[in-house]
Amino acid sequence: MKKFIQNSRIFLLVTILASLSSNSVLAQLSTWVYYKTDGKLMYVPNAKGNTVPDFSGVGYMNSEADIPVDLPIVKTVYPVDGDNTLNVQSAINAVSAMPIGSNGFRGVILFKSGVYPINKSINLNASGIVLRGEGADAAGTRFIATGTVQYDLFNIKGLSGITTNEATVKSITDTYVPVGAKKVNVASGHTFQVGDWVYFRRSPTQAWIDLLGTAQYGWTYSGYKMNYERRVVAVEGNLITLDAPIMDVVDPVYAQGYLVEFSSARIQNCGIENMRISSTYTSTEDELHGWNAVFFGKIINGWARDLEVYYFGYAAVNVGDQATWVTVDNCKCLDPMSVTTGGRKYSFNVDGQRNLIKNCVTRGGRHDYVTGSQTAGPNVFVNSSSSQVHADIGPHHRWSTGLLFDNIVSNGQINVQNRGESGSGHGWAGAQIMFWNCTGSQIICQDPPGDHINWTMGAKATVTSKGNVGSNTTQPLGIVQSTGTFVTPQNLFEAQLIERLAPSAPSSPSNVTAEILSTTQVKITWVDESYNEENFRVERSDNNGVDWVLVGSVGAGLKSYINTGVADNATYLYRVYAENATGKSGYSNLATASSHLDAIPSPWLSKDLGTLSPVGNSGYFNGQFTLNGSGADIWGASDECQFMYQPMDGDGSISAQVWSVAPTNAWAKSGVMIRESLNANAPNAFMLISATSGAAFQQRLTAGASTTSVKFAGGAPFWVKLTRKGNLFTAYQSSDGYIWTLAGSVTINMSTNAYVGLAVSSHTTGVLCQSTFNNVVVNSSTSTSNSVLKDKDVAPLRASVFGGKLKIDYIVRQKNLVEIDLIDSHGRNVKKLVRNNQQPGTFSQIFTTGTLSKGLYLVKMTVGNKSNAVKIMI
């Protein structure tokens, strides 16, 4: 994000022309807003002067400053046994009593890695406090809502809010104020000054209610008075300039306009970041458990970032109606648990104004990116995606205004429509709603009566004006352009923000990861933290960071690069930076990947089931199994797949984290399997994750019989488990590997001597599907594998090298002596890293590697009389 530089608004023409040239085949121009030849945005008004508004005045500090990353840690908290509510709340209370520094912050509370069960709300009611974890993965900081009532786990909310000074009210004297305007004339005698916070108040008339036809739903003109938060940036007599545009029309017939001062006692500068938050639940329709993971209320300038949220009934982040300038960045809302109807599963809900939701992901929600009743804009949802949706994205009800949905990707609908009597009188969901370069199955874009406008630009979806809820049928179509082809600029929000702020070098990409795709390919991904890059450049080092070479670059807005042609049996470091005409960003974090896959360890074996072309294979590296399988399907009377297996005699279990499934087909399958024989038509139980169609528990009861299944929400990375007790086969699923959900049970009359393992099918004949598995654990009387430890003892060891550091993650299941040694390639014990009697829990250790020679090492972990080892390259 860029810093604000006064009076510097140059935007290089060559940059824009190059961008337009490179995208000319893929993008078209909107006639409402587009780049002029001087490189600036042109807003074309309609006959009444209404334009596409500038939506960019949103997010933390109005997007004029970065969310801080270098704040001091003033308190460190460790998890304790049992409920941690008092442990966590006491830390917040202690920091709340500290003075606020000149930077507006008290400081950071660091929650160390581990599990924090919490049975009631945690309240943060003071300014300047940041709640920070040590990671959102299984080895990081994990908060678990364990209460059995509906409650918000993190309640970040001021005790006082906004107070209007009604004595300052002045009517707007302009005959007509169009959408997009920032200047208004007010009646004489006002007291407004530069820097004042004011409400732009729109008070509709009964004629407006009649125009919309919403009196039948209980709407009244006095109940639809809306207040828009603005700051005064210039005063010239009675002409007042506001910092953000008008989002709804003021005219002589349908609405009057006013300005009125207000004061705010809301908390400021609070954030929550870098942790995993989940809720326990008793069934998929349980209503009595964690409801909102994070709630923001009565706050200005706040943020939530780098959160993974699982199983909450309502939302990952819910932004309340007095929350302003809140940014939600790089957060996930996965697998919500509640009834799939009514006011539930609203993954990222916004009722406040001038808020920004970006780079987010949802799975299994209903209304994933959504606003409530009379939400005043601007609010922006950008660069975010949804899968396995149960309802639509968009304004939900009762006249939200000034919303931008920018580069939203969904496998469901994205809608703005007259919802009629739906929900006891939703009526018109919103106006001045922009869908910009969005992708979905369908977009309903209806045009409200009068001068109100809704736009759909560059949609890759079927666009219609026929509604699908309430008494609603077909309404006039909104403004629709370039269906099937994206428009330029690719991101409207980013383009508007660049123009509002001075150009500068882009911010550094973050969260860079490197994933092995094959022995010749590595995929590098990152989070885009800037709005003004022209490209990203990827550099690689094959000598532990001593020398770096540029291996590739991609254009603005892209977030991944595949490095092809890498050498076999090599380990690389990767880093990424962004660049534009002004300069380049700093480097990202370092990511490590190796192109080498070892043979699978004993007693694992692998083979193709069925006659497949190309043939499949299985490999292993650094605790991760990689399977490549082709085949038509694992289904019907006979299977075609790659199967990595070992014998199982009698009862036992297998669990694994399906880390990735290549999307060779929506139903490409990967998971854990127990089957009677290696014949393609053998009876089997299979708990799977598909590429994009969710999870499923499927079974074939007898040889050559048809296969049946039960489907669930889910997607990689995802945990699956199968157990066998006699002829009863039971499947479980989990998003986090900690809270398991029963997927189903089935009786299969299977021979005592069977096979257990991992299976992958591309669901596309002639194509290999690659799938990777972490944390593979087999428990059976015949399993002698030393590649994994028993689940009751410890999870598989994970080790990674980055920036001269060695990071080790492991989980202790029962109290035991844990020893971890570093062993060189000659088998010599180089260093004792850990020797502790440890209680159950998740542990992470970091060591320096500066004194070690370069080469291959083993990190060996011993728990009791069991051991495990993984390779690392230093």
Side-chain angles (χ1 to χ4, degrees):
M1 213 171 286
K2 302 155 293 302
K3 300 292 192 293
F4 181 68
I5 305 174
Q6 190 71 27
N7 297 325
S8 177
R9 298 176 57 82
I10 302 171
F11 194 88
L12 297 179
L13 173 59
V14 65
T15 300
I16 301 304
L17 292 178
S19 174
L20 291 178
S21 174
S22 63
N23 291 286
S24 59
V25 176
L26 302 178
Q28 298 179 359
L29 296 179
S30 162
T31 62
W32 280 76
V33 55
Y34 56 86
Y35 283 127
K36 298 185 294 182
T37 56
D38 63 359
K40 294 191 176 184
L41 291 172
M42 175 68 183
Y43 295 88
V44 180
N46 66 7
K48 293 289 190 72
N50 296 291
T51 64
V52 172
D54 179 0
F55 295 99
S56 71
V58 297
Y60 176 76
M61 296 296 289
N62 205 27
S63 292
E64 294 171 4
D66 293 330
I67 295 174
V69 296
D70 55 356
L71 298 171
I73 296 171
V74 296
K75 194 168 188 63
T76 300
V77 181
Y78 293 84
V80 298
D81 292 339
D83 184 69
N84 275 251
T85 304
L86 182 60
N87 181 31
V88 173
Q89 190 65 62
S90 296
I92 293 174
N93 294 346
V95 176
S96 298
M98 296 178 180
I100 296 180
S102 59
N103 63 352
F105 288 91
R106 290 180 165 92
V108 174
I109 303 175
L110 178 64
F111 295 94
K112 299 294 287 184
S113 296
V115 178
Y116 296 77
I118 307 287
N119 65 15
K120 61 181 65 174
S121 291
I122 299 298
N123 296 303
L124 196 167
N125 307 127
S127 294
I129 299 175
V130 179
L131 310 180
R132 179 183 297 164
E134 288 194 315
D137 58 7
T141 301
R142 299 162 64 186
F143 283 89
I144 301 179
T146 57
T148 55
V149 298
Q150 288 186 11
Y151 67 108
D152 302 336
L153 186 57
F154 289 100
N155 194 23
I156 304 175
K157 181 180 179 181
L159 300 178
S160 301
I162 292 173
T163 303
T164 57
N165 183 358
E166 296 296 334
T168 65
V169 172
K170 290 294 178 182
S171 61
I172 292 172
T173 59
D174 299 283
T175 303
Y176 189 93
V177 181
V179 172
K182 291 185 178 180
K183 295 184 178 183
V184 293
N185 285 286
V186 297
S188 298
H190 71 83
T191 58
F192 303 124
Q193 299 180 26
V194 172
D196 284 348
W197 276 104
V198 297
Y199 277 143
F200 172 83
R201 177 175 293 165
R202 182 182 186 272
S203 295
T205 64
Q206 182 60 44
W208 181 75
I209 297 292
D210 296 339
L211 175 73
L212 298 185
T214 52
Q216 61 184 313
Y217 310 131
W219 290 30
T220 63
Y221 68 88
S222 60
Y224 278 76
K225 177 173 64 178
M226 290 182 63
N227 291 318
Y228 298 80
E229 290 191 38
R230 300 292 184 264
R231 294 197 77 171
V232 175
V233 295
V235 178
E236 303 172 62
N238 293 330
L239 181 64
I240 310 297
T241 303
L242 306 174
D243 71 326
I246 306 305
M247 293 295 174
D248 206 351
V249 174
V250 173
D251 61 23
V253 177
Y254 299 117
Q256 288 85 45
Y258 303 90
L259 288 190
V260 56
E261 293 180 26
F262 70 83
S263 58
S264 172
R266 295 173 290 185
I267 59 174
Q268 303 183 60
N269 292 326
C270 293
I272 181 169
E273 58 191 29
N274 202 31
M275 62 181 67
R276 179 176 293 193
I277 309 173
S278 57
S279 174
T280 58
Y281 59 96
T282 59
S283 72
T284 57
E285 294 190 348
D286 184 9
E287 300 275 285
L288 298 177
H289 63 104
W291 210 239
N292 292 298
V294 180
F295 178 80
F296 286 103
K298 297 181 180 178
I299 184 174
I300 184 169
N301 292 320
W303 71 84
R305 63 178 173 181
D306 301 329
L307 305 180
E308 287 192 9
V309 176
Y310 299 89
Y311 313 136
F312 280 78
Y314 189 80
V317 182
N318 190 353
V319 182
D321 63 356
Q322 287 197 42
T324 299
W325 282 353
V326 171
T327 292
V328 180
D329 183 15
N330 195 39
C331 294
K332 297 179 181 178
C333 183
L334 303 174
D335 309 327
M337 296 296 169
S338 56
V339 176
T340 309
T341 187
R344 298 161 178 88
K345 299 182 179 178
Y346 288 36
S347 305
F348 294 96
N349 180 75
V350 174
D351 293 325
Q353 50 186 296
R354 305 189 69 169
N355 299 299
L356 172 63
I357 314 295
K358 65 173 184 173
N359 301 323
C360 291
V361 173
T362 74
R363 182 176 68 210
R366 293 185 63 245
H367 302 292
D368 287 315
Y369 305 104
V370 63
T371 59
S373 175
Q374 301 176 70
T375 302
N379 285 293
V380 174
F381 301 87
V382 61
N383 294 343
S384 297
S385 65
S386 292
S387 64
Q388 301 175 40
V389 300
H390 296 285
D392 61 340
I393 290 167
H396 188 48
H397 64 125
R398 298 179 176 89
W399 206 253
S400 291
T401 51
L403 307 179
L404 171 61
F405 295 84
D406 189 346
N407 282 263
I408 302 298
V409 178
S410 173
N411 68 338
Q413 295 190 4
I414 305 173
N415 298 332
V416 56
Q417 59 181 315
N418 182 352
R419 294 176 56 84
E421 80 276 7
S422 178
S424 69
H426 283 176
W428 277 97
Q432 290 70 251
I433 312 299
M434 171 64 80
F435 299 139
W436 186 273
N437 286 347
C438 291
T439 301
S441 62
Q442 183 184 68
I443 292 178
I444 299 173
C445 182
Q446 294 183 344
D447 186 41
D451 292 342
H452 308 295
I453 312 170
N454 290 320
W455 301 268
T456 298
M457 303 292 182
K460 291 190 176 180
T462 300
V463 182
T464 180
S465 63
K466 184 176 181 179
N468 61 0
V469 291
S471 61
N472 189 25
T473 54
T474 301
Q475 298 281 346
L477 185 66
I479 304 297
V480 178
Q481 294 182 348
S482 190
T483 300
T485 304
F486 288 154
V487 293
T488 299
Q490 177 64 41
N491 287 91
L492 179 61
F493 171 69
E494 296 179 4
Q496 290 180 325
L497 185 60
I498 289 170
E499 187 150 301
R500 180 167 66 87
L501 306 181
S504 63
S507 295
S508 304
S510 67
N511 293 336
V512 174
T513 62
E515 177 187 1
I516 305 166
L517 296 182
S518 69
T519 56
T520 60
Q521 292 184 321
V522 176
K523 182 178 182 180
I524 302 94
T525 61
W526 57 88
V527 172
D528 181 359
E529 296 287 4
S530 63
Y531 297 113
N532 58 341
E533 78 277 354
E534 295 173 30
N535 53 61
F536 291 99
R537 301 197 184 276
V538 180
E539 293 185 351
R540 186 184 77 196
S541 172
D542 59 5
N543 57 5
N544 203 32
V546 176
D547 301 299
W548 292 88
V549 295
L550 179 68
V551 294
S553 61
V554 296
L558 299 178
K559 303 170 188 176
S560 65
Y561 173 79
I562 295 178
N563 182 203
T564 60
V566 300
D568 187 22
N569 198 21
T571 298
Y572 299 102
L573 290 178
Y574 291 91
R575 65 186 185 186
V576 184
Y577 66 89
E579 189 176 50
N580 65 13
T582 302
K584 73 176 189 177
S585 73
Y587 287 107
S588 67
N589 62 291
L590 302 182
T592 305
S594 171
S595 59
H596 179 67
L597 291 177
D598 295 328
I600 55 177
S602 177
W604 291 105
L605 301 167
S606 69
K607 69 168 296 182
D608 282 339
L609 303 183
T611 303
L612 306 185
S613 179
V615 296
N617 58 77
S618 297
Y620 176 83
F621 182 79
N622 200 26
Q624 184 176 78
F625 290 96
T626 299
L627 275 66
N628 295 283
S630 59
D633 200 358
I634 304 172
W635 189 250
S638 182
D639 304 324
E640 292 187 350
C641 64
Q642 166 72 185
F643 186 43
M644 191 187 83
Y645 64 94
Q646 56 182 272
M648 173 182 274
D649 184 9
D651 296 345
S653 68
I654 181 171
S655 62
Q657 182 189 34
V658 181
W659 183 253
S660 66
V661 186
T664 54
N665 182 282
W667 272 106
K669 295 175 179 178
S670 175
V672 294
M673 177 183 285
I674 300 174
R675 62 188 299 123
E676 186 172 62
S677 73
L678 301 180
N679 296 330
N681 67 347
N684 69 80
F686 184 33
M687 184 64 207
L688 68 94
I689 297 299
S690 69
T692 60
S693 298
F697 175 39
Q698 64 181 52
Q699 53 278 154
R700 182 183 298 124
L701 302 184
T702 60
S706 297
T707 300
T708 58
S709 71
V710 181
K711 300 176 184 177
F712 311 91
F718 204 79
W719 296 71
V720 288
K721 181 191 291 186
L722 268 178
T723 66
R724 178 182 185 179
K725 189 171 184 179
N727 286 325
L728 182 65
F729 294 80
T730 305
Y732 302 88
Q733 58 172 323
S734 175
S735 295
D736 63 358
Y738 188 83
I739 300 172
W740 290 91
T741 305
L742 177 67
S745 295
V746 65
T747 298
I748 305 176
N749 293 318
M750 188 180 294
S751 170
T752 301
N753 298 316
Y755 297 90
V756 61
L758 311 174
V760 175
S761 175
S762 66
H763 206 287
T764 303
T765 301
V767 176
L768 283 173
C769 172
Q770 184 171 89
S771 181
T772 55
F773 299 81
N774 293 329
N775 303 296
V776 180
V777 175
V778 173
N779 283 312
S780 76
S781 60
T782 54
S783 176
T784 59
S785 170
N786 63 1
S787 65
V788 294
L789 298 178
K790 300 300 185 183
D791 184 67
K792 63 185 177 63
D793 296 317
V794 65
L797 173 68
R798 301 287 292 167
S800 57
V801 179
F802 59 96
K805 305 286 186 181
L806 166 63
K807 185 172 185 287
I808 300 172
D809 301 302
Y810 58 99
I811 300 172
V812 176
R813 302 295 189 190
Q814 294 181 343
K815 181 179 178 180
N816 217 325
L817 175 64
V818 177
E819 295 184 272
I820 302 180
D821 298 287
L822 187 65
I823 300 170
D824 68 15
S825 59
H826 301 287
R828 295 174 298 204
N829 196 323
V830 176
K831 188 175 183 180
K832 177 73 72 173
L833 301 175
V834 175
R835 191 179 191 279
N836 289 322
N837 283 301
Q838 293 185 312
Q839 298 287 341
T842 301
F843 299 91
S844 181
Q845 304 275 2
I846 296 179
F847 308 91
T848 61
T849 61
T851 60
L852 298 173
S853 301
K854 297 177 183 177
L856 181 68
Y857 290 83
L858 290 179
V859 178
K860 180 181 179 182
M861 176 171 59
T862 303
V863 181
N865 62 355
K866 300 177 177 66
S867 63
N868 185 22
V870 295
K871 294 179 182 180
I872 61 169
M873 185 70 72
I874 295 177

